[in-house]
Amino acid sequence: RRCKQVHHLNINYVQGDNMSISCLTTTHPLQSLTVKLHKTNQDKDILMYPDISPEPEQERWSVRKDAGNVTLDLKDIRLSDDGLYDCQVYKDWDCLNVIRFNLKVK
């Protein structure tokens, strides 16, 4: 099912920096969740967690759960990372949350 609530963020980073974005605060174990990162302006899935074989270009993206927060990390930000993204978190077939963020890279 589609998410009812979408939260919007505008974020700015400098090329070469690392970024962390909280996609959801939950008591569910990370293993029971599906996290999907979609780059909307290219209509392309960037990351799917759990994913057995991430594409080499996507290895800079990762998902972790720390103190109840499901967090998306990006290492070594590049100019090509600039764009609009959706971080979607699902439990089974139910969408729990969507964070839509516009990443501007300087």
Side-chain angles (χ1 to χ4, degrees), residues 1 4 27 32 37-38 58 62 68-70 83 95 99 101-102:
R1 281 189 283 175
K4 294 177 179 84
T27 56
S32 72
L37 179 66
H38 185 79
Q58 312 316 342
S62 60
N69 289 311
V70 176
C95 183
I99 300 290
F101 61 95
N102 192 13

Side-chain angles (χ1 to χ4, degrees), residues 25-91:
T25 301
T26 181
T27 56
H28 296 298
L30 184 57
Q31 300 85 339
S32 72
L33 301 174
T34 301
V35 180
K36 179 179 168 185
L37 179 66
H38 185 79
K39 192 167 186 179
T40 57
N41 57 331
Q42 291 182 348
D43 196 23
K44 174 174 147 182
D45 288 339
I46 302 292
L47 172 85
M48 190 73 127
Y49 173 90
D51 187 0
I52 325 140
S53 56
E55 294 179 33
E57 71 181 65
Q58 312 316 342
E59 288 179 353
R60 295 178 303 120
W61 291 95
S62 60
V63 174
R64 65 185 160 87
K65 185 173 177 200
D66 184 32
N69 289 311
V70 176
T71 303
L72 192 61
D73 293 316
L74 173 59
K75 293 181 181 142
D76 187 27
I77 293 175
R78 301 174 185 163
L79 289 174
S80 60
D81 295 323
D82 198 277
L84 186 63
Y85 295 85
D86 281 347
C87 179
Q88 305 166 356
V89 183
Y90 294 87
K91 171 93 170 97

Side-chain angles (χ1 to χ4, degrees), residues 8-27:
H8 299 269
L9 295 174
N10 288 312
I11 50 179
N12 298 299
Y13 276 91
V14 176
Q15 189 175 347
D17 277 357
N18 296 331
M19 171 183 87
S20 293
I21 291 185
S22 177
C23 290
L24 178 70
T25 301
T26 181
T27 56

